[in-house]
Amino acid sequence: YHMKNAPAALEALGRAYEEAEDIVTPFAELGKDMRTLASRALRESGIPAGWLETVRRKASAFAKFQSAMVSEHTRRRGASLSAREHEVLSDLCRGLSRAEIAAKQSLSVNTVNSVTANVFHKLGAGNTADAIRIAAEEGFI
C-alpha cells in the first residue's frame, strides 16, 4: 500500500487475515500504514469489519505511542534549533501569525509552516502553546 499499489495491498491483507484469523498485534505494530490500509479495506474489501476496526484502532494507538516515544527521546537528547527555527519560535512566542512571520522574515508561508513543523518535532510539541511551554522550560526562549 505504501508503494501505491492499493489493490495488491488489499489482496495481501485479505490473505493475511485468512491466515491470521483473530491475530491482531502484528498488524497493529505496523502503525500508521496499517491504520490507513485498514481504513481503506473497511470501504473496499470483504474482510470482516470488526477485525479491521480492531486493527485500525490498535494500529492508531501504536502509531501515537511511537510518536510520543520519538518526541520524548528527541527532548531528552536535547534538541538543537537552527537560527531560522529559533527566530520563528521567537516570533510565535510574540504572538505573530504565520503570515506575519513570513512577511517579517521574507519567507513564504509554506516555509514558515515547514520550519514550525520542524520546531514542533524537535521539541516534541503538539501545538504552538505546547512548543512555547517546552521552549520556556528548556531555555530556548
Side-chain angles (χ1 to χ4, degrees):
Y1 187 77
H2 194 41
M3 294 175 7
K4 310 293 186 222
N5 189 347
L10 290 170
E11 182 182 328
L13 181 60
R15 285 193 315 269
Y17 167 75
E18 290 171 7
E19 294 292 326
E21 296 179 19
D22 292 330
I23 297 172
V24 172
T25 302
F27 299 96
E29 289 177 348
L30 295 172
K32 189 171 92 173
D33 290 333
M34 183 53 66
R35 178 184 63 201
T36 305
L37 179 59
S39 293
R40 183 152 182 184
L42 278 165
R43 296 186 309 267
E44 300 178 20
S45 77
I47 300 169
W51 184 81
L52 286 170
E53 281 291 344
T54 300
V55 167
R56 190 174 61 81
R57 188 181 69 253
K58 290 188 176 196
S60 181
F62 191 79
K64 289 177 185 174
F65 171 75
Q66 284 179 314
S67 178
M69 293 302 293
V70 167
S71 293
E72 183 62 25
H73 175 74
T74 300
R75 283 183 63 195
R76 285 188 180 167
R77 197 180 77 221
S80 60
L81 301 179
S82 69
R84 177 171 284 168
E85 289 166 343
H86 192 277
E87 187 63 31
V88 167
L89 178 60
S90 295
D91 287 343
L92 286 171
C93 291
R94 290 184 192 101
L96 275 67
S97 71
R98 294 179 189 201
E100 291 169 329
I101 295 169
K104 178 183 175 218
Q105 295 188 28
S106 300
L107 302 171
S108 73
V109 174
N110 286 339
T111 299
V112 172
N113 287 337
S114 178
V115 171
T116 301
N118 289 339
V119 169
F120 286 8
H121 177 74
K122 285 182 177 182
L123 296 180
N127 56 45
T128 302
D130 201 23
I132 292 168
R133 179 189 55 78
I134 293 167
E137 289 173 359
E138 300 290 326
F140 288 118
I141 55 170

